[in-house]
Amino acid sequence: MSMYRHQLYRTWLSLRHRPQLRNWVYGTVMLSTLYFLYQFISPSDSRQTFPLESYVEPELLPQSVWDNRAERVKKAFQHAYHGWEQYAAPHDELKPISNTYQDNFNGWGVTVFDGLDTMALMKLDHEYKRALKHVEDVEFKLEEGKYAPYFETVIRYLGGMLSAYALTEDPILLRKADELARKLDPVFGTPSGLPYYGVNPDTGATQGPAIGILAEIASLQLEYTYLAKVTGKKEHFDRAQNVINIINRANYDKTGGMMPIRWNTTDGTPFDQSLSAGAQADSAHEYLLKQYLLTAKRDQESLQLYIRTATQLITELMYISPTRHLLYVTDKVPSRTSHTAQISHRFEHLSCFLPGLLALGVQELPLDDIDFMDAFDKDHPAQRAQWEKLRGFSLRDVHLWAAQGLAQTCWLSYADMPTGLGPDEMLFYTNMPEQGAWGGGWFAPKTAAGGARPMTRTGGGTLWVDALRSWKRSGARGVPPGVGDKTPVVYSKEDRVRGAFGRDYSIKKDEYLLRPETVESLYLLWKVTGEARWRDRAWRIFEAIEVHTKTPAGYASLRTVQTSPGVKDDDMPSYFFAETLKYLYLTFIGDTPLPLDKWVLNTEAHPFPVIQWTAEERERFRVGY
Ligand code: DMJ
């Protein structure tokens, strides 16, 4: 021992006289200490899941297992809702880490309104009773100078009350829904009748620019049509119908038949040529198909616009990634250098509602009966050009492939992450020339950069659409390009440090906001195809939610999905109650209380029953379809 001490002393003496060597030794000791500390506190990359069940092929699982899983979702709902009741009531949302609250949607308790119908579906009678009392007491008031955001208030509050009314027939809900709609009504004071961004429900003052955002001005048709049905009031019907008329008579020649993002609320015309499947547009596209379904398949014009929109999305905004051949849907945004719009290759979590919507259309529409749908006017050059692009394919096939391919990519964006939860936004690579791999438009006769590019190194100018055609000609065995299961690519810590490229995309926003879109689509794919793999994926997502987002009081968004365990954020959005947990629950239960041909879910997953107008209503409302 004393020999070691002596040795150390001698070393220290010699270092005192050699400052360079001393600094080097001190530096090395410091760095090693830091490295070891980091190893202790840094998150590991290993995927954490429940070790509760060994893996069984999902199609072999009896319904009793799925029933238990549905029960688990119900418990999760109760855990989160009780947390809100304990720490956040009567405010909007619980902050599930600090156990405080935030008032980000008017302060009327949006969590209750969004969660009501899920409580009814889950038969959570005690919670529902307490929630109903809250609804009855709310006065929908805001201080002067504050404005209720119209779109969010409609889809969450109005939609929540109306769907709970549809399920329970509690008269309070209808009375409060009608009261809220009346207080919001000044938003329709624009010259066109398209809604302003916001309104003060007490003073009637409105707020918002003259240029409106598509999702915010054209996602009210379902709520107001159903409200008209249950209240018998023509004014509600007219509000919905005016929006439908405006979007139906607009000219979409410059946008390939699809509604652009920005609208002039003065004259009710499209303002630009930006196109999006996700942010700022999503629910407006969704409401085209859903309005047709809600009106018992009578509103033919909404159907036709939906078909033209889907065609544009498929032929212009869907792309295949270079090496994994993942199908994704992107947007066209204004270019910084010219007046034209350019493909961004962004893929948003928000767009993951689209595979579910397409699957719903596959189930409910006579997609191959082009004459019945009459969606393309062959004498109209722009519409004829759109129709030509998919000629030779069965529309039903193409919509189903798109639904499956996109749902696969949405699911992979979760499975690729060490948390098993997906990022909010990705950016796809278009070309990987060093690997001889090019991405390109799925059905477009041109690729990302606008010119024809080879599909593979040896492809010599082959385009994806040609690959699709030759796949079809050669007997259509297996699945077409862009469709079919792919293996997840989970990066290790080292992969991330050295900048790996194996996924075909980089992550632009790596948070997970407890959003519903992917589980929404998994639910619809499961219902429409009956394939248990979709149901199984929903369960894996629920497992990951339990492992990575649960807190003692609720569930928390993640700041990043890229390290395991996930890094939590102090936020639990109300749509987690309305949508995420509802879709998971509906995916696992056996007999559905909401058959797809009898119920239509609004964009916040609030279900309304399909409407049959009586002769008297048709006449009084002047129903034109
Ligand atoms: C929900 O509030 C609605 O689905 C809306 O239409 C857009 N997305 C959010 C949740 O992600």
Side-chain angles (χ1 to χ4, degrees):
M1 194 62 191
S2 70
M3 204 180 79
Y4 277 125
R5 238 185 284 153
H6 181 67
Q7 190 69 34
L8 267 174
Y9 181 63
R10 277 173 54 132
T11 316
W12 180 74
L13 272 185
S14 67
L15 285 179
R16 273 182 63 186
H17 302 294
R18 298 167 71 185
Q20 258 186 336
L21 182 64
R22 187 187 58 203
N23 289 346
W24 183 85
V25 170
Y26 284 179
T28 312
V29 169
M30 187 101 78
L31 279 177
S32 316
T33 315
L34 283 175
Y35 176 76
F36 280 113
L37 274 176
Y38 175 71
Q39 286 303 309
F40 270 112
I41 57 170
S42 75
S44 94
D45 257 334
S46 57
R47 170 83 48 88
Q48 267 183 275
T49 47
F50 286 147
L52 299 181
E53 295 156 9
S54 54
Y55 186 74
V56 178
E57 288 300 324
E59 52 277 9
L60 300 179
L61 289 175
Q63 181 53 40
S64 57
V65 170
W66 294 106
D67 288 341
N68 284 335
R69 292 177 173 185
E71 236 4 79
R72 295 281 308 277
V73 179
K74 193 165 154 178
K75 289 263 163 339
F77 185 99
Q78 283 179 299
H79 172 69
Y81 190 69
H82 293 165
W84 176 85
E85 284 184 314
Q86 189 174 353
Y87 298 110
H91 297 277
D92 277 343
E93 291 175 345
L94 170 71
K95 295 176 96 167
I97 297 176
S98 58
N99 293 346
T100 51
Y101 61 84
Q102 57 183 339
D103 278 325
N104 42 355
F105 291 102
N106 312 330
W108 303 332
V110 70
T111 294
V112 182
F113 289 79
D114 245 359
L116 265 178
D117 59 3
T118 312
M119 294 174 208
L121 286 167
M122 290 179 172
K123 301 197 173 41
L124 294 172
D125 298 340
H126 297 298
E127 286 81 358
Y128 177 79
K129 241 192 218 142
R130 297 195 293 267
L132 196 62
K133 177 82 183 68
H134 173 101
V135 172
E136 195 174 7
D137 293 345
V138 168
E139 291 181 51
F140 305 126
K141 281 184 167 305
L142 277 187
E143 278 167 34
E144 205 174 326
K146 294 211 162 152
Y147 299 89
Y150 176 71
F151 162 72
E152 298 289 358
T153 305
V154 165
I155 66 168
R156 298 181 196 223
Y157 284 97
L158 191 61
M161 285 188 283
L162 285 174
S163 62
Y165 173 73
L167 293 168
T168 66
E169 295 183 10
D170 271 321
I172 299 169
L173 294 167
L174 184 56
R175 181 165 56 75
K176 297 300 283 186
D178 192 39
E179 178 187 331
L180 178 61
R182 265 187 290 114
K183 291 192 168 208
L184 296 177
D185 208 55
V187 283
F188 296 106
T190 58
S192 68
L194 289 175
Y196 279 115
Y197 168 80
V199 59
N200 181 296
D202 295 315
T203 63
T206 52
Q207 183 208 37
I211 303 304
I213 296 297
L214 178 63
E216 293 173 356
I217 57 158
S219 309
L220 57 97
Q221 302 89 311
L222 302 183
E223 292 81 357
Y224 279 70
T225 307
Y226 181 61
L227 187 60
K229 176 72 185 172
V230 287
T231 59
K233 292 186 179 171
K234 179 169 164 31
E235 62 258 36
H236 297 316
F237 179 84
D238 290 344
R239 294 301 185 205
Q241 202 52 46
N242 183 45
V243 171
I244 294 170
N245 294 342
I246 288 176
I247 59 182
N248 277 334
R249 67 168 177 256
N251 184 324
Y252 300 117
D253 286 357
K254 290 189 179 147
T255 51
M258 185 173 159
M259 297 178 283
I261 294 178
R262 270 165 259 289
W263 284 69
N264 188 332
T265 60
T266 309
D267 62 7
T269 56
F271 180 73
D272 72 351
Q273 294 174 34
S274 312
L275 298 178
S276 165
Q280 305 192 317
D282 43 9
S283 45
H285 305 314
E286 178 184 354
Y287 276 24
L288 297 174
L289 172 61
K290 291 191 169 176
Q291 181 68 12
Y292 175 69
L293 299 180
L294 185 74
T295 56
K297 305 186 181 175
R298 300 295 282 268
D299 181 358
Q300 192 81 6
E301 280 188 316
S302 291
L303 166 68
Q304 290 164 348
L305 191 47
Y306 169 72
I307 296 297
R308 292 196 291 269
T309 298
T311 303
Q312 174 71 350
L313 286 166
I314 289 168
T315 59
E316 289 291 327
L317 297 182
M318 286 190 200
Y319 280 76
I320 293 212
S321 73
T323 64
R324 294 171 91 190
H325 298 170
L326 305 179
L327 186 65
Y328 60 97
V329 63
T330 187
D331 44 25
K332 258 188 174 179
V333 291
S335 124
R336 288 209 190 106
T337 49
S338 71
H339 288 300
T340 54
Q342 287 202 332
I343 298 290
S344 75
H345 295 281
R346 246 173 13 131
F347 182 46
E348 299 168 286
H349 192 293
L350 283 172
S351 302
C352 284
F353 83 98
L354 186 61
L357 186 75
L358 290 165
L360 178 63
V362 167
Q363 169 98 348
E364 292 299 316
L365 302 178
L367 280 175
D368 285 332
D369 191 345
I370 295 284
D371 291 337
F372 168 80
M373 296 195 302
D374 201 17
F376 301 97
D377 177 355
K378 310 286 167 36
D379 297 327
H380 187 291
Q383 286 190 23
R384 188 178 178 93
Q386 280 300 93
W387 174 73
E388 294 277 352
K389 287 189 191 165
L390 289 178
R391 207 156 63 141
F393 288 96
S394 139
L395 214 54
R396 187 184 184 281
D397 283 352
V398 174
H399 282 221
L400 186 58
W401 298 338
Q404 290 169 323
L406 291 176
Q408 173 68 220
T409 308
C410 293
W411 152 244
L412 276 178
S413 77
Y414 280 57
D416 283 351
M417 299 303 135
T419 47
L421 294 167
D424 209 49
E425 200 175 306
M426 298 172 280
L427 186 65
F428 270 90
Y429 309 143
T430 49
N431 301 317
M432 299 182 75
E434 59 296 342
Q435 295 180 37
W438 279 265
W442 193 39
F443 268 87
K446 56 186 184 315
T447 55
R453 287 263 180 90
M455 182 184 81
T456 65
R457 189 177 11 198
T458 54
T462 309
L463 299 170
W464 282 108
V465 66
D466 296 331
L468 277 160
R469 286 190 203 283
S470 58
W471 168 83
K472 195 164 172 267
R473 270 197 306 273
S474 68
R477 261 193 307 242
V479 287
V483 187
D485 284 356
K486 309 276 157 56
T487 314
V489 177
V490 185
Y491 290 161
S492 65
K493 213 181 283 176
E494 294 74 47
D495 287 338
R496 279 209 312 277
V497 171
R498 80 180 153 79
F501 289 97
R503 288 179 184 150
D504 276 11
Y505 60 82
S506 60
I507 294 178
K508 270 192 91 176
K509 291 187 188 164
D510 64 349
E511 66 260 33
Y512 169 66
L513 303 177
L514 295 168
R515 284 196 196 276
E517 292 79 15
T518 296
V519 291
E520 168 180 357
S521 283
L522 293 176
Y523 161 68
L524 283 157
L525 263 291
W526 151 242
K527 283 285 148 199
V528 170
T529 65
E531 292 167 5
R533 63 187 166 130
W534 303 112
R535 206 183 196 191
D536 178 53
R537 289 162 184 178
W539 172 245
R540 288 161 193 239
I541 291 176
F542 178 71
E543 284 186 308
I545 289 175
E546 283 286 320
V547 169
H548 293 284
T549 75
K550 195 167 184 176
T551 71
Y555 292 82
S557 295
L558 297 185
R559 280 192 197 159
T560 177
V561 292
Q562 299 204 69
T563 51
S564 176
V567 182
K568 296 187 183 75
D569 208 355
D570 202 8
D571 180 49
M572 182 172 69
S574 71
Y575 55 67
F576 182 62
F577 296 86
E579 302 189 72
T580 314
L581 292 177
K582 185 186 286 141
Y583 281 123
L584 286 164
Y585 182 72
L586 291 173
T587 307
F588 304 143
I589 54 175
D591 289 338
T592 178
L594 305 173
L596 298 182
D597 60 341
K598 299 209 165 45
W599 291 84
V600 180
L601 276 63
N602 89 340
T603 189
E604 192 80 357
H606 294 308
F608 307 136
V610 166
I611 291 171
Q612 303 279 356
W613 298 116
T614 63
E616 187 275 327
E617 285 165 339
R618 297 187 67 78
E619 202 179 310
R620 191 156 49 83
F621 293 168
R622 304 219 181 97
V623 179
Y625 43 80

